[in-house]
Amino acid sequence: MKKKILIVDDEKISLMMTNHILSSEYDTIMASSGEEAINFYMEERPDLVLSDLRMPGMTGMELQQKLKEKHGDEIPFIFMTADKDDETESEGLERGAMDYIHNPFRADVLLKRISNILKMVDQIKGFKKASETDPMTGLLNKASAQEEIGELCRRAPGALMMVDLDSFKPVNDLYGHAMGDRILIRFAEILQSAVRFTDITGRIGGDEFIAYCQNVGEESVIAEKAAYINENILSSARELLGEDMSIPLGASIGCVFAPEEGTSYHELFEKADKALYNVKQNGKHGYQIYHDSLQTEEGELKTRSEERRVGK
């Protein structure tokens, strides 16, 4: 798949010439202003932005800053400029630009500079992914899931779901840890298939998972996801362990909606945890949406962490 480059230049001739050079090797999108570039970035999510530095209305540096503020990413940027001022170039690099190329430029030089930058970006992404993901399932690890969900729930409404794989211990005890790992990997795949690619999923413990689904605020959606996950993990377990498998595998889900119940990760996590505890205490293999009146027969809900502390 070709890499995608967003070219931003208010000079039409320069924009068309740059596009002509790059379109032979990359998928290109052209924008004639910073405002237009912001809209294209949201729609296309390019791998790199090649922007003129001096533009009316919004400069290249201002465009870079606005995209960073809006999307929270370190977006690969290269500035094109006829300015020979070293201080300007230094300022751009300090703000996170990956390179400068001075107009007029040769086609082969531009292509080589962009190729080098994209290779560097791929290497950085590879290192970052290795440090952020759970090596077994490929989902985000606990720290990275907390960070990414924490950032997202502050700015986007959605549903935080804590998901436990019920009755997992007997799999390890009866079939061995290698088979247990296969079940966990399959469960992670099922969880990912139950949400959209724009949602965030992570593994936060041995058989404990978390997901944040953007723009989900209806119980019916959570009910459908819970039914899908439970149906598929049971059929997958029978496929892997045999049709005579008698372990009651399934999923318990505690859910809380943001921003109705808060926008802080820790606040939402605690409430989802309480909802999950309620599911665990009432038959498992289901879901519970958190609400203020959520109680157990003993009164105020305990979280699973509190349960562990008292040794129950």
Side-chain angles (χ1 to χ4, degrees):
M1 183 183 296
K2 287 184 177 181
K3 297 286 188 180
K4 190 179 295 185
I5 298 178
L6 173 59
I7 308 167
V8 192
D9 198 328
D10 65 300
E11 293 287 343
K12 185 175 181 180
I13 294 177
S14 177
L15 180 65
M16 296 300 293
M17 288 180 63
T18 306
N19 181 69
H20 177 71
I21 293 169
L22 297 180
S23 60
S24 62
E25 296 192 19
Y26 302 101
D27 287 333
T28 56
I29 310 106
M30 293 186 290
S32 58
S33 68
E35 290 80 3
E36 190 175 23
I38 289 173
N39 292 330
F40 280 141
Y41 185 88
M42 293 177 65
E43 295 172 5
E44 301 288 346
R45 292 300 178 120
D47 299 288
L48 182 144
V49 180
L50 178 64
S51 175
D52 185 25
L53 184 62
R54 304 292 186 189
M55 295 185 293
M58 185 187 302
T59 68
M61 286 188 189
E62 290 170 342
L63 169 62
Q64 180 193 27
Q65 185 62 32
K66 286 183 180 294
L67 286 175
K68 185 175 180 179
E69 290 172 355
K70 193 173 187 67
H71 299 284
D73 302 325
E74 291 295 334
I75 300 165
F77 249 84
I78 297 178
F79 288 131
M80 300 179 291
T81 180
D83 195 340
K84 303 297 183 181
D85 186 350
D86 291 339
E87 290 187 6
T88 301
E89 185 169 337
S90 176
E91 180 185 357
L93 293 171
E94 287 177 359
R95 290 193 182 193
M98 302 196 75
D99 203 356
Y100 266 76
I101 186 161
H102 293 278
N103 272 320
F105 48 75
R106 286 169 39 184
D108 59 337
V109 172
L110 177 62
L111 287 168
K112 188 62 177 177
R113 297 276 280 273
I114 287 180
S115 175
N116 288 340
I117 291 297
L118 290 172
K119 287 177 182 177
M120 185 187 306
V121 169
D122 285 344
Q123 287 180 336
I124 292 170
K125 286 181 177 178
F127 295 144
K128 185 177 180 183
K129 183 176 180 181
S131 67
E132 291 181 346
T133 56
D134 171 56
M136 179 187 296
T137 64
L139 302 182
L140 291 176
N141 59 30
K142 182 177 181 180
S144 297
Q146 177 177 332
E147 181 179 353
E148 292 202 17
I149 293 174
E151 171 65 27
L152 187 57
C153 67
R154 284 194 294 270
R155 55 186 174 86
L160 178 68
M161 300 191 303
M162 291 186 62
V163 187
D164 264 17
L165 177 56
D166 296 325
S167 305
F168 173 66
K169 187 176 182 299
V171 176
N172 282 334
D173 293 342
L174 297 174
Y175 295 90
H177 287 275
M179 181 57 72
D181 290 348
R182 292 182 66 184
I183 292 291
L184 286 173
I185 292 168
R186 181 67 65 87
F187 187 71
E189 292 171 348
I190 292 168
L191 179 59
Q192 281 190 296
S193 68
V195 302
R196 298 157 299 185
F197 75 95
T198 54
D199 297 329
I200 297 173
T201 53
R203 183 186 180 199
I204 59 175
D207 55 4
E208 299 170 347
F209 298 80
I210 195 166
Y212 190 80
C213 301
Q214 298 183 63
N215 301 314
V216 170
E218 298 180 0
E219 181 174 347
S220 60
V221 176
I222 306 303
E224 289 176 3
K225 293 183 185 300
Y228 172 85
I229 293 169
N230 272 287
E231 178 182 346
N232 280 274
I233 188 55
L234 188 58
S235 62
S236 292
R238 287 174 176 154
E239 174 189 330
L240 293 170
L241 304 178
E243 288 296 329
D244 60 346
M245 187 275 303
S246 60
I247 299 171
L249 281 169
S252 293
I253 300 173
C255 178
V256 61
F257 294 127
E260 291 86 346
E261 296 293 345
T263 57
S264 159
Y265 173 84
H266 294 290
E267 180 181 12
L268 294 170
F269 182 94
E270 182 178 337
K271 290 178 177 179
D273 198 34
K274 289 181 178 180
L276 178 59
Y277 181 92
N278 197 52
V279 179
K280 291 284 196 181
Q281 296 300 302
N282 289 278
K284 303 182 180 180
H285 300 8
Y287 74 94
Q288 173 70 59
I289 307 296
Y290 176 85
H291 49 83
D292 288 338
S293 61
L294 197 61
Q295 292 183 342
T296 64
E297 294 179 357
E298 298 176 356
E300 189 67 25
L301 272 172
K302 291 185 178 71
T303 65
R304 287 174 302 124
S305 57
E306 289 171 338
E307 182 183 43
R308 294 186 188 108
R309 282 199 298 272
V310 297
K312 293 184 180 179

